[in-house]
Amino acid sequence: RRSTRWFSKGIWLAESKKVKGVPSDLHSILHSNRSFAYIKLKRWGEAEEDCSKALALNPKNTKATYRRAMARFELGKLEGAKADVELVLKELPDPSSNKEAVELKGKIARAFAKKESDGAEPGQAAAAKPASAPAEGFRRMQIVEADESDEEEPAKPQSPGVAVATPEPFPDIKLAANVKGIEEAKTRANSLFAQGSLEECVRWFSKGIWLAESKKVKGVPSDLHSILHSNRSFAYIKLKRWGEAEGDCSKALALNPKNT
């Protein structure tokens, strides 16, 4: 638990305006390693979210891909878990380095087979099952990764004074780089939520949040920023993505403690 506090402090500093020129590889590793701590704590939703952020910063972070596959498997998101583990196996074809990924792929395949035998649609997410003890191979991987977390490939030095922005998500969603653009994202997301398009509404809330937290827009009201997180949390609740819902609610309250 203490390690998550330290990783979180480092992430906050990397994402604040206090430090410029933070290498994206370093920022990615902070999220990836915190996700590993969340996995140890069986906080699967937060682990998945951290892995997604790590991969947005560095798509070649294979450890983050593997860890997200593990978290998604525990959350019952079999399609996503399968896609992630297959990507890991593609990037690590050597049998001596991918044993744990092969074992996880087998567990996912057995879960799919069980769903089909139970009459569920293939790929349909199930409620998260109680976490079981990790397989022996996964325990070995935990030890190795914990030892190697400080030995990941060093980030390339960047010119002093150059800030590294979080990569823009969902480039297909176009918004004006001003407060009105953020308001548009909120309005559109709320409309999609009312129509039952939950995944799409999450995309619009996420784009609005990214714009609010980027340096592209100044003077974003904290109440508006808080509402974006709060409303997205409700969409996550509907999707039963409990860890992400909790994370959004905490961020909403940090921005506006009176957001009841």
Side-chain angles (χ1 to χ4, degrees), residues 78-90:
L78 299 184
E79 288 286 2
K82 180 173 180 287
D84 281 340
V85 80
E86 286 180 345
L87 182 58
V88 171
L89 291 171
K90 181 179 179 181

Side-chain angles (χ1 to χ4, degrees), residues 20-221:
K20 294 183 178 180
V22 179
S24 58
D25 285 358
L26 171 59
H27 195 171
S28 175
I29 289 168
L30 287 169
H31 280 291
S32 176
N33 285 3
R34 187 174 68 174
S35 79
F36 189 42
Y38 282 143
I39 285 172
K40 297 281 283 184
L41 293 167
K42 298 182 174 63
R43 291 164 62 174
W44 310 114
E46 289 152 299
E48 180 193 22
E49 184 178 8
D50 255 346
C51 290
S52 294
K53 289 178 179 178
L55 290 166
L57 290 158
N58 177 14
K60 294 183 179 180
N61 189 334
T62 306
K63 288 184 178 179
T65 307
Y66 177 81
R67 290 166 182 168
R68 189 170 67 176
M70 183 67 187
R72 285 178 166 176
F73 173 73
E74 295 293 343
L75 289 167
K77 299 179 180 180
L78 299 184
E79 288 286 2
K82 180 173 180 287
D84 281 340
V85 80
E86 286 180 345
L87 182 58
V88 171
L89 291 171
K90 181 179 179 181
E91 293 177 353
L92 298 175
D94 182 4
S96 65
S97 63
N98 66 12
K99 181 179 178 182
E100 290 78 19
V102 170
E103 290 176 356
L104 179 56
K105 184 178 180 181
K107 290 168 69 176
I108 294 168
R110 290 192 292 274
F112 267 115
K114 186 176 186 302
K115 279 183 176 297
E116 292 177 5
S117 66
D118 291 344
E121 290 294 328
Q124 183 181 7
K129 58 184 177 58
S132 55
E136 180 63 29
F138 184 64
R139 285 199 293 272
R140 288 197 302 273
M141 188 172 195
Q142 287 177 329
I143 295 169
V144 171
E145 290 187 334
D147 290 342
E148 293 179 348
S149 58
D150 291 333
E151 300 176 7
E152 301 213 28
E153 184 178 350
K156 296 179 182 178
Q158 298 192 1
S159 301
V162 178
V164 179
T166 303
E168 179 178 358
F170 314 120
D172 56 307
I173 298 177
K174 306 296 183 184
L175 295 172
N178 52 39
V179 174
K180 286 186 178 179
I182 297 171
E183 289 277 8
E184 179 189 352
K186 184 191 75 170
T187 300
R188 183 66 183 275
N190 286 341
S191 175
L192 288 163
F193 181 89
Q195 297 169 26
S197 300
L198 299 176
E199 294 286 359
E200 189 64 17
C201 93
V202 165
R203 280 171 23 97
W204 279 84
F205 279 132
S206 298
K207 188 63 175 251
I209 290 168
W210 171 83
L211 190 56
E213 295 176 353
S214 72
K215 297 180 180 178
K216 298 178 182 292
V217 183
K218 294 182 179 180
V220 179

